[in-house]
Amino acid sequence: MEETERIGLSEASKADHLCVLVHGLWGNPKHLSYLKTALQQEHTEDRLHILVATRNSDSFTYDGVDVGGERVTAEIEAAIEELQRRGQEIKKLSMVGYSLGGLVARMCIGLLYSRGWFDKIEPVNFTTFATPHLGVRTPLRGYHSYVWNALGGRALSTSGRQLFLIDSFRDTGRPILSVLADPKSIFIKALSRFRNRVLYANVVNDRSAPFYTCAISKVDPFANPEAIRIEYVKGYEPVVIVPNLPARPARQDEPSTTYSRVVSGGYTFLTRVPLYAMLTVFVPIGTVVFLLNSGIQSFRSRQRIRLHESGKAGIGLGVYRIPVMIENARGAVEGTVKSINAGQQQEYLPDNAGISSGREPQTKKLSTNDDDQASEKSGESEESTAELTRTRSIIELPTLALAPEQFEMIQALDDVGFRKYPVYIHKVNHSHAAIIFRRQRQDYDEGKLVIKHWLKEEFEL
């Protein structure tokens, strides 16, 4: 009864689709209240079961993506088995991750895949909101970047080291985020099985997870949003942006507003001076208090991890400690270790490194717009000629100074394929919380439009 009541099911429910919601760092199920409510209003309980993960909440999120993933996987399996005992067979699965929860969800699906669940259950929707798929290393040059990347990862225990790519995942000798994106891993194999893969990424004022990492991008077209032409998805203006469009200069008849100038200016400041960004977040709550609390939480996290590793945390650990690679990757690991060592010295790219902002590397399963085709057929009509002219006006954007493993992650995840929706939250300077309407605040209401778009246009029952 406990599992069923917690999921919020009625015994008469005939739903065969389970949707799992996973919150982020420092998070708890309350952060996903609006997301859950919106799902329930769109799809009644006789059509969809909703499980909001609870076993990896609050300070437990310090313990790492892998440990959190194992906890949530155990929770999912327990829920499915409980439903089966009541004669309610689950045939379809959707995963939704917010912030760090998106990485935990990617860990979960690899474990579920390895345990044969995807042979019995169809993976349907995989969605992330403001998830740092590439970690949170600052892609800048200079000592500010070095200080931020060196200190930031050590303030949040295991999860922090993983987000800053300074961890070593088990016997791979590689950061866990690199392993999650390895084409030979169970995690990429699992991700590729989902019918729909969608992400939403804030373009400004996300102090926790910048655009490039949430959008899995090697460029940031929105570093100066006033300089480019932004096209919104019809019916979801002015929040959800049309994905995969080239960056083109803003029209002359589109003057910037005072508010948007302040917003974009603040975003640029936080992006370019990461150390100041850290202080902007930490100082209001007291730097000393924060670091003291981080030390305490890190100590407690290490204790919990030891219990988890010894199998004394209530989870049969052995069932999840399976090979993460589909093939023997010993040789590949040796090569990757060298890449990691080299990556510690490459906080920048050559000055002439830049790519066209025309479009992210195209994915195998997602369609593109017709820019290239228009160029080939430019002589056939005036419309094609106009399209060619627009194509030539594409802004050239510099490639961010990412680490080598981050570029590898981008390629692997793009090969699998995501629909990537940029999100422009205008009303608040904390878009990370607003994107899912994390709290009942009127100035967060733009997040409701994001959720509406996902439910109406992307979520498949």
Side-chain angles (χ1 to χ4, degrees):
M1 177 68 71
E2 180 182 352
E3 287 291 344
T4 303
E5 288 179 343
R6 183 166 51 77
I7 301 170
L9 303 175
S10 67
E11 294 189 12
S13 175
K14 297 180 180 179
D16 62 358
H17 190 161
L18 175 64
C19 181
V20 181
L21 310 182
V22 189
H23 61 71
L25 189 66
W26 299 310
N28 59 70
K30 291 181 180 179
H31 286 179
L32 303 175
S33 294
Y34 181 77
L35 197 59
K36 177 184 177 182
T37 299
L39 269 170
Q40 291 173 326
Q41 292 175 345
E42 186 71 18
H43 303 292
T44 56
E45 64 182 15
D46 62 334
R47 304 183 67 198
L48 181 71
H49 297 318
I50 301 172
L51 171 63
V52 182
T54 63
R55 295 187 183 179
N56 195 55
S57 299
D58 300 313
S59 60
F60 278 55
T61 58
Y62 275 82
D63 301 347
V65 171
D66 50 333
V67 173
E70 291 172 353
R71 288 171 179 154
V72 176
T73 301
E75 193 169 358
I76 294 170
E77 290 185 322
I80 294 175
E81 291 166 357
E82 173 65 19
L83 291 169
Q84 288 177 339
R85 283 193 292 270
R86 294 182 172 275
Q88 300 180 43
E89 182 180 4
I90 295 299
K91 297 180 180 179
K92 292 181 284 187
L93 175 70
S94 290
M95 296 289 297
V96 183
Y98 164 61
S99 191
L100 182 74
L103 299 175
V104 173
R106 284 173 54 196
M107 180 77 186
C108 284
I109 63 174
L111 298 177
L112 293 171
Y113 171 88
S114 70
R115 287 173 52 75
W117 282 105
F118 287 5
D119 295 329
K120 299 175 285 187
I121 296 176
E122 179 187 6
V124 182
N125 306 291
F126 188 91
T127 307
T128 63
F129 295 92
T131 288
H133 291 283
L134 309 179
V136 294
R137 287 175 59 96
T138 302
L140 295 174
R141 293 174 287 181
Y143 74 92
H144 292 108
S145 174
Y146 177 80
V147 172
W148 171 245
N149 290 331
L151 297 181
R154 290 168 172 79
L156 300 173
S157 189
T158 301
S159 294
R161 291 194 295 274
Q162 292 174 347
L163 287 171
F164 280 85
L165 308 181
I166 58 175
D167 65 304
S168 180
F169 180 56
R170 297 181 189 162
D171 60 353
T172 67
R174 303 161 58 185
I176 188 173
L177 299 192
S178 177
V179 175
L180 287 179
D182 192 303
K184 296 180 181 179
S185 72
I186 57 175
F187 310 107
I188 285 294
K189 300 297 182 183
L191 188 60
S192 67
R193 293 283 294 272
F194 280 82
R195 194 186 306 168
N196 304 301
R197 294 170 298 277
V198 181
L199 63 80
Y200 293 84
N202 285 310
V203 302
V204 296
N205 293 325
D206 194 321
R207 296 177 296 183
S208 301
F211 174 80
Y212 84 91
T213 183
C214 298
I216 313 175
S217 175
K218 63 182 70 173
V219 297
D220 183 1
F222 303 98
N224 182 7
E226 295 300 319
I228 65 171
R229 186 183 312 173
I230 296 178
E231 298 183 33
Y232 295 99
V233 177
K234 186 177 181 180
Y236 301 93
E237 309 93 337
V239 178
V240 182
I241 298 173
V242 175
N244 298 326
L245 286 183
R248 294 191 174 96
R251 296 185 181 92
Q252 295 299 319
D253 60 349
E254 294 179 346
S256 61
T257 63
T258 300
Y259 179 83
S260 61
R261 286 196 298 270
V262 171
V263 168
S264 62
Y267 174 76
T268 301
F269 175 80
L270 291 177
T271 301
R272 294 186 176 179
V273 192
L275 181 60
Y276 298 161
M278 178 179 70
L279 295 177
T280 300
V281 177
F282 293 168
V283 166
I285 61 175
T287 303
V288 175
V289 174
F290 178 87
L291 294 176
L292 178 61
N293 180 65
S294 294
I296 294 172
Q297 294 300 338
S298 294
F299 174 75
R300 292 175 177 174
S301 175
R302 288 192 293 270
Q303 290 182 313
R304 287 193 300 268
I305 292 173
R306 281 196 292 269
L307 288 174
H308 185 85
E309 293 292 331
S310 64
K312 298 178 181 179
I315 297 177
L317 189 61
V319 299
Y320 299 126
R321 293 305 164 90
I322 37 79
V324 297
M325 297 298 168
I326 301 299
E327 302 174 12
N328 188 337
R330 181 176 300 175
V333 170
E334 293 175 355
T336 304
V337 171
K338 297 177 181 178
S339 297
I340 294 174
N341 291 334
Q344 299 306 313
Q345 301 174 355
Q346 295 181 19
E347 290 293 324
Y348 58 91
L349 293 179
D351 291 339
N352 63 350
I355 65 172
S356 169
S357 67
R359 183 172 320 283
E360 288 301 303
Q362 295 304 318
T363 59
K364 292 181 178 179
K365 300 182 180 180
L366 304 182
S367 61
T368 69
N369 69 20
D370 299 324
D371 283 339
D372 294 335
Q373 295 178 12
S375 298
E376 295 172 359
K377 299 178 181 179
S378 59
E380 297 180 7
S381 67
E382 293 182 2
E383 182 179 351
S384 297
T385 301
E387 180 63 25
L388 178 60
T389 301
R390 288 194 296 271
T391 300
R392 288 173 176 171
S393 69
I394 293 173
I395 300 173
E396 294 287 331
L397 297 175
T399 304
L400 295 170
L402 306 178
E405 54 264 39
Q406 289 177 304
F407 287 112
E408 293 172 0
M409 294 179 212
I410 292 172
Q411 186 62 57
L413 292 170
D414 277 348
D415 284 345
V416 174
F418 274 87
R419 279 187 292 280
K420 304 176 181 181
Y421 288 98
V423 172
Y424 200 158
I425 300 293
H426 297 77
K427 296 182 180 180
V428 294
N429 61 0
H430 187 24
S431 58
H432 192 75
I435 194 171
I436 62 163
F437 196 66
R438 200 171 77 187
R439 283 186 286 174
Q440 295 291 329
R441 286 178 44 170
Q442 187 174 358
D443 54 355
Y444 279 14
D445 61 2
E446 289 172 308
K448 292 182 178 180
L449 204 58
V450 178
I451 303 306
K452 179 181 177 181
H453 176 271
W454 172 60
L455 290 173
K456 297 291 186 181
E457 310 297 337
E458 291 296 341
F459 187 85
E460 184 177 346
L461 192 61

